[in-house]
Amino acid sequence: MPARALVFVLIILTSKPIENETPDRWIIWNVGQGQWVTHINHQGCWHFDMGGERAPWSKLMNLCRSRANFLFLSHWDWDHIGFSARATFFLPNLCRWPLPKETSNKKKSKMVGRLPECSGQTPFFIWSPENAKTANDLSRVVLWNGFLIPGDSSQAIEKTWVGDFSDLDRVRVLILGHHGSRTSTSHALLSQLTRLKMAFASARRRRYGHPHRETEKKVRRYGVPVLSTEDWGHIHIW
């Protein structure tokens, strides 16, 4: 199958019927090594990070240009924020939620800070790290509608936030931490995801070694398949 093939994965997350006009969906974009996950619902397009080696501008415009767009950044790594500034040209109705608390350099802060701040409250649960020592461990973790997005959290910091989530047993889909690196996705986390159906890596094994084979084997021991955007292209989940 071509590396850029488009795969549609049907996962029943709720019993609510799909509406033909605006069906809720999640998209794990094939951005190379990086992260950009979008959730589309009746309110608009919710973007979790906007980074990677290439951006799917044409597809994004078709789906989201006429909608409200909300951006949530997990942390300040370039492969998570790199397209934030350019996105305003393609998605004019874009705002951002409060930025990560850790200190960033002036270039990054200026680039992202130009975006208007979103009003109201986020509809998803956020875990924010305290006293983390590395950039990856400063990642904010998102849980929403059965999707868990841990940014670049390491196994050590996972053990901290696993205890703060009361409904990990409802998680059906996991975006692998740090693109599937072996430093993330611990047994401590996986053992709590008792209803996990699928795991996804937004990565490039041929260049960066992600998702790591050790991580894939670990996840599959729990009976969960691992799909990579490098192999499957943009992944749509209804």
Side-chain angles (χ1 to χ4, degrees):
M1 182 174 290
R4 298 193 180 204
L6 183 66
V7 62
F8 295 90
V9 182
L10 178 62
I11 299 177
I12 300 177
L13 297 176
T14 70
S15 59
K16 182 179 179 180
I18 293 177
E19 298 176 1
N20 292 329
E21 293 182 357
T22 312
D24 285 11
R25 76 173 82 174
W26 288 79
I27 307 170
I28 301 97
W29 296 105
N30 180 24
V31 294
Q33 184 81 0
Q35 182 167 292
W36 190 336
V37 178
T38 298
H39 177 43
I40 304 175
N41 63 13
H42 68 282
Q43 293 177 305
C45 294
W46 304 78
H47 307 281
F48 297 92
D49 291 332
M50 279 186 174
E53 298 169 296
R54 55 185 176 270
W57 297 125
S58 61
K59 291 181 173 61
L60 273 164
M61 289 175 67
N62 289 336
L63 290 170
C64 298
R65 186 174 177 83
S66 61
R67 304 175 187 270
N69 285 268
F70 311 93
L71 171 61
F72 180 86
L73 298 175
S74 60
H75 62 303
W76 287 102
D77 280 3
W78 278 113
D79 60 352
H80 289 252
I81 73 168
F83 296 121
S84 301
R86 291 187 62 198
T88 57
F89 176 78
F90 299 96
L91 305 172
N93 302 316
L94 176 66
C95 66
R96 60 168 176 80
W97 294 107
L99 299 173
K101 293 181 179 179
E102 74 270 18
T103 302
S104 176
N105 63 45
K106 291 183 178 179
K107 182 177 180 180
K108 292 179 179 179
S109 297
K110 184 178 180 180
M111 178 186 75
V112 179
R114 292 173 178 168
L115 297 174
E117 191 165 340
C118 303
S119 59
Q121 296 181 335
T122 60
F124 41 86
F125 181 82
I126 305 167
W127 181 88
S128 297
E130 295 181 3
N131 303 319
K133 296 181 180 180
T134 68
N136 288 343
D137 284 348
L138 286 167
S139 296
R140 295 185 291 180
V141 182
V142 168
L143 177 60
W144 193 17
N145 291 344
F147 273 68
L148 181 61
I149 308 174
D152 284 352
S153 289
S154 71
Q155 294 188 35
I157 206 73
E158 283 175 0
K159 296 176 182 178
T160 301
W161 55 257
V162 160
D164 291 340
F165 284 89
S166 60
D167 49 1
L168 286 177
D169 59 341
R170 297 182 182 180
V171 171
R172 303 294 185 89
V173 177
L174 171 65
I175 306 301
L176 291 177
H178 200 188
H179 319 293
S181 166
R182 64 179 175 180
T183 62
S184 299
T185 316
S186 63
H187 284 293
L189 171 60
L190 291 169
S191 65
Q192 298 298 314
L193 307 181
T194 55
R195 297 186 184 181
L196 185 65
K197 299 299 182 184
M198 301 193 101
F200 299 96
S202 180
R204 280 212 293 156
R205 173 178 283 141
R206 294 175 182 86
R207 182 170 181 179
Y208 299 100
H210 297 158
H212 197 278
R213 297 189 186 281
E214 184 178 309
T215 301
E216 287 187 288
K217 289 180 180 178
K218 186 192 306 179
V219 176
R220 285 170 178 160
R221 286 194 201 110
Y222 289 83
V224 177
V226 177
L227 274 68
S228 174
T229 55
E230 181 177 34
D231 299 321
W232 293 94
H234 306 312
I235 299 172
H236 293 235
I237 304 172
W238 272 270

